[in-house]
Amino acid sequence: MDKYEVIGTLGEGSFGRVYKAKQLSTGNFVALKVISKRGRSVKELKGFRRECEIQRDLHHPNIIQMLDSFETENEIVVITEFAPKELTGVLNKEGYLTEEKVQQIVWDLVSALYYLHSNRVLHRDLKPQNILLDLENKAKLCDFGFARNMSTGTHVLTSIKGTPLYMAPELIDELPYDYNADLWSLGCIIYELLMGTPPFCTNSILHLIKKIKSEQIKWPTFLSPDCISFLKGLLQKNPSKRLTWNQILNHSFVKGHILISKSTVPMPLTSSLTASTKQVKEQQRKDSMNHKHHKGAVPKETDTKKSDSNKSSTGAIPKSEESKKSKEKQEQDKAMENLSKCLKEKLNFIEDNHPIEPEEWIVFLQKSIQEVMNGEMSSLLQPNLTNIIVSPLKNSNSNSKVLSFVVKLLSIAFVVKGTSEKTLDRIKKVYLEVKLLPNLIYAVKLLLRNLPDISNSSSGGLPATKNLETYKSLEKLDNEELQALEHIVMLVCHLVYIQDDFVLQFCDAIVILNVYSLINTLLGLAKRKLRISMDIISILTQTIRRLPENTEIIEKIVLNDGKTDSQLHLGEFLRNSNPIMRERSCIFVLLMGKYFQHSTLEKIWSLEIRDTLEALMFDSIESVRNAAEATVNDLKHKEFYMKSSSLF
């Protein structure tokens, strides 16, 4: 870092920050992208390094050049050339550009894209935000976070990347795709530069997806025939009908103005396929579709609690069984480890740290909520559309307002009058398929996670960061954050009570995300947002009731994953002024007494809890009295209960 002088901040995201800096040896300006390694998964770090590897090998005047990169103990630092203007800034200022100006930008973008595809690299996130302009207004592609280097012999991809406004129809349909997806995105950018808006633009993101799939593009009449022809060739919904690279290079709109580098790899994507290669590509496409069709359901959680039928009358495990139990525990731990690995792939917890426009999302979501309230449920009945709605739950840049509207939209179908049971059943199936509940838990984690504390350090202005896996204290949560949490937890509670598969997904999410302590912490919100704590108690109760074999997960939540600062104040919950909280707490204690291990109960049980339960048998509310009486009658013969009596 002693080679550079940091001047100021250019941008910020969950990955870290981008700084403007001066290279001391030359006086040239550069951009420093600083990525925090702390709190990142191995997969995330691998992705960042892959981005560096891809960009390091790219050398073209219309692609932001990577100059250097290095790693410290806590950061990955990438140095690139500096470009002073963003294309989005120009669009925001001018609204749209003349065909002459657009044509010059198109020459640059086609040159860059031809170079990428010649080297078997797909960008996969082409949009105005990823296009910079230098001092001479030369366009340059940047941000290769979603880029993919296709190995020779690979002809189609399946993982969905990109931004909905510029996403090709084949990605919307979750079909295998190739370099043609980049050409569609290029067409969308050109259309937006000329018209001021992308070819498909609506106040509802769900309508946007429908338009991309089925609506015809409206072609302007004031553009030249060459420009219209070029646009139409790129914006073909059927990828096989889009312009080939040979047709693009010879098209009159760009011919003679494309900067072609001689640096290519064997079998570039820009070359025409031979008959045998076409057969291989088609077979890969079919194999990808078959694999998607035959994907199995998430495997059920391995039993984490064995039957206690072999215990003696005193509750002790016979010595002859100790070695057997130890071996079983090892096997269970191994099974859980293997299961966790499998579930990480199935639940697809991949954080999206690309910027979003909160106000635009809120407009989209409000419009969609109105549609659902009017009985138009199609957006919640198709997994690919619902996946779009769910996406902000995984985006670390989503604010609490966006999250609240997302959850409102996903919840509203359950309360709209006249919704048929058949429709509700289909919605449940979609929610299970898109892993809605695990992503709701993930949203809680991202919402409460502390952002990195970035400040200048002694290393020449290199920012220092703190561990991303720390969480905000309850006192620091503002009202909007509390409201978002309340909406999320309320929907989770509803889901676990309507179908056991959601309970299983709840357990999976807790294990995979390792958020035992975080869920425990939410119980401490009783004084600020009682509804959150009440719903957490209900979720834990339903989990024990429906999946008693997973009670160990609930025990770890109650015990704060072995930490001492537990937020489980049962006595306070039982004495709460709200009768619903008192009733739910009684039922929770009843089930804990039935299914928790003796050692766990000893850690949380007290004379205060026993006395409060017995007092609640005379509560003024009948439902509370009944719950307390059932709990006391069931537990009064338990060893831990009687032990608390004999001590005093």
Side-chain angles (χ1 to χ4, degrees):
M1 283 301 298
D2 54 357
K3 299 179 182 179
Y4 307 95
E5 177 188 355
V6 176
I7 296 174
T9 303
L10 294 174
E12 183 175 358
S14 61
F15 61 83
R17 286 184 178 178
V18 180
Y19 297 89
K20 181 180 180 181
K22 180 184 289 187
Q23 191 173 23
L24 297 179
S25 61
T26 63
N28 295 331
F29 292 121
V30 296
L32 299 181
K33 185 175 182 179
V34 182
I35 303 162
S36 174
K37 289 160 69 173
R38 293 184 176 181
R40 299 289 180 187
S41 67
V42 173
K43 187 172 184 179
E44 285 177 307
L45 293 176
K46 184 179 179 181
F48 286 132
R49 294 185 180 107
R50 184 178 66 243
E51 177 183 354
C52 292
E53 290 171 2
I54 290 176
Q55 196 165 1
R56 183 182 292 112
D57 295 330
L58 300 177
H59 305 283
H60 192 277
N62 298 116
I63 294 175
I64 289 293
Q65 179 65 48
M66 178 174 161
L67 304 174
D68 193 11
S69 69
F70 59 88
E71 295 190 32
T72 67
E73 182 179 355
N74 297 321
E75 289 100 6
I76 298 174
V77 183
V78 181
I79 298 95
T80 68
E81 68 172 305
F82 172 73
K85 291 187 289 185
E86 296 179 352
L87 187 57
T88 50
V90 175
L91 271 177
N92 291 337
K93 182 179 179 179
E94 300 189 27
Y96 61 91
L97 305 179
T98 65
E99 182 177 327
E100 182 181 3
K101 288 184 178 180
V102 171
Q103 190 174 27
Q104 293 177 358
I105 293 174
V106 171
W107 295 341
D108 292 336
L109 296 181
V110 171
S111 297
L113 203 55
Y114 182 78
Y115 173 80
L116 290 179
H117 290 180
S118 293
N119 287 277
R120 299 190 64 82
V121 174
L122 272 63
H123 190 283
R124 301 201 296 178
D125 196 22
L126 289 176
K127 56 185 178 181
Q129 293 90 331
N130 288 339
I131 299 170
L132 303 178
L133 300 174
D134 65 12
L135 292 173
E136 298 176 351
N137 285 323
K138 180 187 297 182
K140 293 174 177 281
L141 285 183
C142 66
D143 196 341
F144 289 81
F146 283 164
R148 168 71 186 272
N149 199 332
M150 293 181 71
S151 59
T152 303
T154 300
H155 300 286
V156 296
L157 301 176
T158 56
S159 57
I160 297 177
K161 304 292 181 183
T163 304
L165 282 172
Y166 311 93
M167 193 178 289
E170 57 267 32
L171 271 75
I172 297 295
D173 285 329
E174 299 182 279
L175 297 173
Y177 63 92
D178 57 16
Y179 71 92
N180 276 291
D182 276 349
L183 296 180
W184 171 276
S185 300
L186 174 64
C188 291
I189 294 171
I190 298 171
Y191 190 100
E192 183 173 3
L193 292 175
L194 292 164
M195 301 294 293
T197 61
F200 300 110
C201 195
T202 172
N203 288 332
S204 168
I205 198 165
L206 305 177
H207 275 169
L208 170 66
I209 302 305
K210 295 174 185 176
K211 285 174 179 286
I212 292 175
K213 292 178 64 174
S214 58
E215 190 170 296
Q216 295 301 311
I217 296 174
K218 296 178 180 178
W219 302 106
T221 57
F222 59 85
L223 300 176
S224 69
D226 284 347
C227 183
I228 290 292
S229 171
F230 190 71
L231 269 179
K232 286 184 176 181
L234 295 177
L235 293 174
Q236 290 289 328
K237 293 182 186 292
N238 185 339
S240 66
K241 293 183 178 180
R242 286 175 207 148
L243 292 174
T244 65
W245 268 114
N246 184 56
Q247 291 171 328
I248 291 173
L249 297 180
N250 288 287
H251 197 284
S252 53
F253 192 67
V254 300
K255 186 176 182 179
H257 298 279
I258 306 306
L259 180 59
I260 299 178
S261 170
K262 294 181 180 180
S263 173
T264 61
V265 298
M267 297 180 65
L269 302 178
T270 51
S271 299
S272 299
L273 298 181
T274 63
S276 60
T277 306
K278 287 181 179 178
Q279 289 180 349
V280 173
K281 179 177 179 179
E282 184 59 28
Q283 187 59 49
Q284 288 184 5
R285 188 184 303 276
K286 290 179 179 178
D287 291 344
S288 297
M289 292 301 296
N290 289 336
H291 176 71
K292 175 185 173 183
H293 180 72
H294 289 102
K295 276 183 179 179
V298 177
K300 289 195 174 184
E301 187 80 64
T302 302
D303 288 357
T304 58
K305 192 169 185 180
K306 298 293 183 179
S307 169
D308 58 0
S309 59
N310 290 329
K311 292 185 179 181
S312 67
S313 58
T314 61
I317 300 175
K319 290 184 177 181
S320 60
E321 295 291 318
E322 288 182 358
S323 59
K324 180 180 178 182
K325 292 292 183 181
S326 176
K327 185 177 180 180
E328 287 178 351
K329 184 65 166 62
Q330 291 176 0
E331 291 175 350
Q332 291 165 12
D333 291 342
K334 185 177 181 180
M336 180 64 74
E337 182 180 349
N338 293 334
L339 174 69
S340 297
K341 183 179 179 181
C342 178
L343 289 177
K344 284 180 181 179
E345 299 174 358
K346 291 289 185 181
L347 297 181
N348 195 26
F349 285 130
I350 300 175
E351 179 179 337
D352 180 5
N353 53 32
H354 280 65
I356 67 172
E357 298 294 335
E359 296 306 319
E360 291 183 11
W361 265 96
I362 289 173
V363 172
F364 290 156
L365 294 165
Q366 285 177 323
K367 180 72 173 178
S368 301
I369 287 171
Q370 189 60 52
E371 292 172 359
V372 175
M373 291 182 67
N374 291 336
E376 175 53 54
M377 302 283 180
S378 59
S379 59
L380 303 179
L381 296 172
Q382 301 179 51
N384 57 331
L385 300 183
T386 308
N387 258 322
I388 301 298
I389 301 171
V390 172
S391 62
L393 300 176
K394 295 183 284 189
N395 193 309
S396 56
N397 291 312
S398 296
N399 62 27
S400 49
K401 281 187 176 180
V402 172
L403 293 179
S404 287
F405 277 104
V406 168
V407 177
K408 286 178 182 178
L409 173 55
L410 294 166
S411 304
I412 199 74
F414 296 114
V415 296
V416 172
K417 291 184 178 180
T419 305
S420 67
E421 286 297 322
K422 183 178 180 180
T423 298
L424 289 176
D425 286 342
R426 289 175 61 193
I427 290 174
K428 293 174 196 175
K429 289 180 180 178
V430 170
Y431 285 4
L432 285 168
E433 182 175 342
V434 303
K435 309 297 187 296
L436 170 58
L437 194 146
N439 281 293
L440 289 168
I441 302 299
Y442 195 30
V444 173
K445 182 175 184 177
L446 294 180
L447 182 63
L448 296 185
R449 188 178 68 185
N450 276 322
L451 294 176
D453 182 17
I454 302 177
S455 58
N456 288 334
S457 66
S458 58
S459 56
L462 181 67
T465 58
K466 293 184 178 180
N467 194 324
L468 291 176
E469 292 304 313
T470 61
Y471 298 99
K472 301 173 185 177
S473 65
L474 302 183
E475 294 75 18
K476 292 184 179 180
L477 298 179
D478 59 36
N479 289 332
E480 287 184 354
E481 290 171 327
L482 286 172
Q483 186 176 49
L485 281 174
E486 183 177 33
H487 291 151
I488 292 171
V489 174
M490 193 183 305
L491 179 53
V492 171
C493 186
H494 180 74
L495 292 174
V496 299
Y497 272 84
I498 61 175
Q499 195 163 324
D500 287 353
D501 287 336
F502 288 114
V503 185
L504 180 62
Q505 286 192 352
F506 171 77
C507 294
D508 293 341
I510 299 301
V511 173
I512 301 306
L513 293 174
N514 192 25
V515 288
Y516 305 98
S517 296
L518 186 61
I519 301 301
N520 178 285
T521 299
L522 296 180
L523 291 168
L525 286 169
K527 293 182 180 178
R528 294 193 64 188
K529 273 287 184 183
L530 180 62
R531 180 61 188 261
I532 294 177
S533 297
M534 285 199 303
D535 284 345
I536 292 293
I537 289 291
S538 293
I539 293 167
L540 302 183
T541 298
Q542 180 70 350
T543 303
I544 300 173
R545 180 187 290 123
R546 303 304 303 173
L547 292 177
E549 65 271 22
N550 282 352
T551 300
E552 184 178 335
I553 295 172
I554 309 306
E555 289 184 20
K556 290 186 72 173
I557 292 174
V558 168
L559 294 177
N560 203 16
D561 201 15
K563 299 176 183 178
T564 57
D565 55 338
S566 174
Q567 300 290 339
L568 185 68
H569 306 299
L570 277 177
E572 294 179 12
F573 294 163
L574 290 166
R575 294 191 300 272
N576 195 277
S577 60
N578 188 302
I580 299 177
M581 183 57 149
R582 298 199 298 273
E583 179 184 355
R584 292 184 182 183
S585 298
C586 286
I587 297 171
F588 185 46
V589 172
L590 170 63
L591 291 172
M592 284 195 298
K594 279 187 174 183
Y595 296 106
F596 273 26
Q597 298 180 64
H598 183 77
S599 59
T600 301
L601 289 167
E602 283 189 330
K603 292 177 182 178
I604 62 176
W605 193 257
S606 67
L607 177 63
E608 175 197 28
I609 295 174
R610 189 208 70 182
D611 288 347
T612 304
L613 278 171
E614 294 179 355
L616 288 177
M617 295 171 67
F618 304 96
D619 196 273
S620 59
I621 306 298
E622 182 180 6
S623 60
V624 177
R625 291 198 304 270
N626 293 338
E629 184 176 354
T631 302
V632 171
N633 288 337
D634 194 80
L635 302 183
K636 64 183 179 182
H637 300 300
K638 302 281 186 178
E639 182 181 354
F640 70 90
Y641 194 99
M642 293 188 292
K643 188 176 180 180
S644 66
S645 301
S646 62
L647 289 175
F648 297 90

